[in-house]
């Protein structure tokens, strides 16, 4: 148990540092922003209670907000994402006993299931974040373009992170 807590604490710190130091300074073509810190929420064990997941997600978003000067946008979007996490996983993995390891990853879930799960959560987060940021549907096409491009870039980077962090069976 202590090993798991230490590993997730290290993942939290590593993802926050990567986001603040590297990924906050990347904006491809003025629309695609990598938001890779949400990998922490995607990776949280499914056996963790909803209240704990919401608290951890809020703290993650608040930490990013403090360093990124985004006035609570990430905290709200991360909290909304934490609520959507289990229903999305159940959408693609209907039976709870199909999950052998409580941590979702490419190796513990079927690759197709994990990819659908991750794409859905990344797209939801990007939609939450950019709608909160814009707080309007005035330029709907630009909003949609930012959501799609940021989701694609974030998903590719999250797959790379998962390849590095997941253990083999």
């Amino acid at each position: 148990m202590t090993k798991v807590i230490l590993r997730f604490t290290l993942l939290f710190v590593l993802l926050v540092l990567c986001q603040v130091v590297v990924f906050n300074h990347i904006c491809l073509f003025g629309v695609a922003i990598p938001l890779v810190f949400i990998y922490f929420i995607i990776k949280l064990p499914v056996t963790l209670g909803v209240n704990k997941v919401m608290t951890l997600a809020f703290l993650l978003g608040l930490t990013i907000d403090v360093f990124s000067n985004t006035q609570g946008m990430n905290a709200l979007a991360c909290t909304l994402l934490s609520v959507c996490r289990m229903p999305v996983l159940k959408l693609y993995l209907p039976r709870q006993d199909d999950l052998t390891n409580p941590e979702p990853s490419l190796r513990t879930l079927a690759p197709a299931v994990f990819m659908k799960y991750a794409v859905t959560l990344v797209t939801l987060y990007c939609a939450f974040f950019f709608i909160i940021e814009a707080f309007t549907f005035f330029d709907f096409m630009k909003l949609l373009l930012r959501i799609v491009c940021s989701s694609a870039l974030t998903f590719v980077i999250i797959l790379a992170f998962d390849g590095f962090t997941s253990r083999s069976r």
Side-chain angles (χ1 to χ4, degrees):
M1 185 67 173
T2 307
K3 188 176 178 182
V4 173
I5 293 172
L6 183 63
R7 192 173 70 224
F8 275 99
T9 304
L10 184 64
L11 182 65
F12 184 97
V13 171
L14 177 72
L15 287 172
V16 167
L17 281 175
C18 286
Q19 183 68 40
V20 170
V21 174
V22 178
F23 295 118
N24 276 354
H25 303 288
I26 297 172
C27 185
L28 296 178
F29 309 112
V31 291
I33 301 169
L35 302 164
V36 297
F37 63 93
I38 62 170
Y39 177 64
F40 179 78
I41 299 169
I42 292 171
K43 191 76 172 159
L44 283 174
V46 295
T47 55
L48 206 58
V50 176
N51 292 335
K52 290 179 183 177
V53 172
M54 286 178 65
T55 303
L56 289 171
F58 175 76
L59 289 175
L60 176 67
L62 188 63
T63 305
I64 296 296
D65 284 332
V66 165
F67 289 113
S68 302
N69 196 23
T70 50
Q71 297 92 19
M73 292 186 296
N74 286 303
L76 177 59
C78 283
T79 305
L80 290 173
L81 185 69
S82 70
V83 172
C84 299
R85 186 177 78 101
M86 281 309 293
V88 168
L89 185 61
K90 288 180 181 177
L91 179 69
Y92 300 121
L93 190 68
R95 289 185 22 213
Q96 190 68 17
D97 56 353
D98 286 347
L99 194 59
T100 57
N101 189 343
E103 291 178 22
S105 71
L106 277 170
R107 290 179 176 85
T108 59
L109 298 173
V113 171
F114 179 76
M115 286 182 175
K116 288 189 276 188
Y117 166 69
V119 164
T120 306
L121 287 183
V122 166
T123 305
L124 279 172
Y125 181 81
C126 289
F128 292 151
F129 180 74
F130 289 119
I131 289 171
I132 292 166
E133 181 186 47
F135 210 65
T136 182
F137 292 110
F138 181 69
D139 194 359
F140 184 73
M141 291 309 291
K142 184 173 181 180
L143 177 67
L144 193 62
L145 183 66
R146 290 183 79 186
I147 291 170
V148 170
C149 292
S150 293
S151 296
L153 181 61
T154 302
F155 176 69
V156 168
I157 295 171
I158 282 178
L159 280 182
F161 263 98
D162 194 63
F164 288 126
T165 61
S166 295
R167 298 179 192 180
S168 60
R169 293 181 193 181

